[in-house]
Amino acid sequence: ASGGRLMTPPDPSWCAGRLFTVLLADRVEGAIIVPEVADYAGDQVEIIAAVNLRATLGVGDGDPVLVSGPAA
């Protein structure tokens, strides 16, 4: 992935990643993290937020969530 903010780990044995701010379900600010790992699946991302997303959005594994970005 290109763009976003590069997150460099304090330990060189850990992977770096790119962080992209997003808005989830039109109401929760969060971020997508794309690890910079050679064999990391190109169709997979990690999504984080300051709240429990499953509980806040009422979603589970496989449920669709609207992701727009960047968060304002």
Side-chain angles (χ1 to χ4, degrees):
S2 62
R5 177 177 173 212
L6 179 62
M7 304 294 291
T8 305
D11 183 328
S13 68
W14 301 345
C15 74
R18 296 227 168 242
L19 183 141
F20 301 85
T21 58
V22 294
L23 188 61
L24 303 158
D26 289 329
R27 61 189 173 114
V28 178
E29 290 185 12
I32 289 179
I33 298 177
V34 181
E36 293 194 339
V37 177
D39 60 348
Y40 194 80
D43 62 348
Q44 180 176 334
V45 296
E46 307 299 327
I47 299 176
I48 61 170
V51 297
N52 180 314
L53 289 171
R54 292 174 192 243
T56 301
L57 302 178
V59 297
D61 284 348
D63 289 345
V65 175
L66 176 65
V67 178
S68 55

